[in-house]
Amino acid sequence: MASPSSPPLIASVEAGGTKFVCAIGYGPGNVVAELRLPTTTPDETIGRCVEFFATQQAAHGEIAALGVATFGPAGVNPTRADYGFITTTPKPGWQNVPLLESLRNALGGIPAGFDTDVNAAALAEWKWGAGNGVDSLLYYTIGTGIGGGFVSGGGAPLHGLVHPEMGHVRLPHDHTRDPFAGSCPFHGDCFEGLASGTAMEARWKQSATNMPPEHPAWELEAEYIALALNNSVCSLSPERLVLGGGVMGQEHLFPLIRAKLVGYINGYIDSPMILEQIDQYVVPPA
């Protein structure tokens, strides 16, 4: 049980389309317990999260606050009626699910935060990881899907009309070189539709994890990622770019992406981070 002088015990949920990760702890270096479970139906998945927190609370004491990072689209504006909801997701059965309310109510209405998984990842990298020493950081996850989160001004995540949907920007698509139509059910050949792990598997008929470094898939993949990063650098001017997700587990991708990004920018942005220190500008998560 926590003593009166202990730091507050925090509950967290990373809600993904494939799996949920629940944890309680006192900080990044002091995680007390963790549970990973497959994303099934909302009732079953949320119910298992609630059971986990109830068990941990009985063992370790009262939980003081809750943080939820979710796949989207999601309602992240606290002034709107859809705050805390997963909204128009293409994942079957998860449209308009009040995720935050369901979890928070089960924990007695404790203080809670809610944002997209990529904004939360960007904030974590800025505070504890690869963003050490910078004011603004852009985080991309490139895996089953693609999403982006941005923090600046002392760790403030970027919101707006809804939240960034950087995986659905449109990229130049040479249909002669790459006749693949794209895998996005909404846009076809947007960034996610061309470069996600799902798109790679549909195009090449095998999982990206099974493709050797010399496979032609990686040259094309690096090109699409570098094109998207070029757009982000020109529109948001982040001080660091962090690339995570399952596809980026292929370490040979980073040099390809960096070289292509420098080529696309073509000297227009006069910064030593791009001209001389690109390997410190485009980095994996820490």
Side-chain angles (χ1 to χ4, degrees):
M1 301 290 286
S3 69
S5 60
S6 297
L9 187 62
I10 306 299
S12 65
V13 175
E14 180 191 358
T18 302
K19 71 178 184 299
F20 271 49
V21 182
C22 304
I24 63 162
Y26 301 100
N30 191 357
V31 176
V32 174
E34 183 179 291
L35 172 70
R36 294 171 180 261
L37 61 147
T39 306
T40 56
T41 65
D43 286 345
E44 181 181 10
T45 307
I46 295 170
R48 289 189 63 187
C49 295
V50 168
E51 289 173 8
F52 169 78
F53 289 132
T55 301
Q56 298 307 319
Q57 192 159 238
H60 300 287
E62 291 298 311
I63 294 172
L66 166 70
V68 179
T70 183
F71 69 98
V76 297
N77 185 337
T79 68
R80 289 182 45 166
D82 66 358
Y83 177 66
F85 280 65
I86 296 173
T87 57
T88 55
T89 176
K91 184 168 181 62
W94 282 86
Q95 295 85 4
N96 302 311
V97 170
L99 177 60
L100 180 64
E101 180 183 17
S102 300
L103 292 166
R104 186 169 177 263
N105 287 350
L107 290 169
I110 59 175
F114 185 81
D115 214 320
T116 62
D117 47 5
V118 280
N119 262 348
L123 180 59
E125 289 296 330
W126 174 84
K127 187 171 180 64
W128 294 300
N132 184 39
V134 302
D135 182 68
S136 60
L137 178 146
L138 176 64
Y139 177 93
Y140 269 108
T141 182
I142 302 169
T144 304
I146 294 178
F150 182 72
V151 295
S152 64
L158 178 64
H159 295 150
L161 183 66
V162 282
H163 51 75
E165 281 288 1
M166 299 178 192
H168 294 271
V169 297
R170 311 312 289 262
L171 303 177
H173 181 189
D174 182 346
H175 290 266
T176 302
R177 180 185 177 195
D178 178 23
F180 179 61
S183 64
C184 175
F186 290 90
H187 312 118
D189 62 350
C190 61
F191 183 23
E192 179 173 292
L194 290 173
S196 65
T198 302
M200 293 185 74
E201 185 166 353
R203 180 192 288 107
W204 300 104
K205 309 305 180 189
Q206 60 178 304
S207 169
T209 58
N210 297 329
M211 297 177 191
E214 63 273 14
H215 195 289
W218 298 116
E219 188 75 20
L220 185 64
E221 180 72 1
E223 183 168 318
Y224 285 137
I225 294 171
L227 283 166
L229 296 188
N230 176 77
N231 294 343
S232 298
V233 170
C234 292
S235 58
L236 293 171
S237 198
E239 293 172 275
R240 188 149 298 150
L241 291 166
V242 182
L243 305 181
V247 171
M248 294 310 306
Q250 309 288 330
E251 294 184 1
H252 61 273
L253 254 181
F254 278 91
L256 291 173
I257 293 166
R258 290 169 181 142
K260 289 179 182 295
L261 177 60
V262 170
Y264 288 137
I265 290 175
N266 197 30
Y268 178 69
I269 296 176
D270 185 13
S271 167
M273 288 306 296
I274 294 173
L275 299 175
E276 302 164 13
Q277 299 170 308
I278 191 67
D279 59 334
Q280 299 173 44
Y281 184 58
V282 180
V283 298

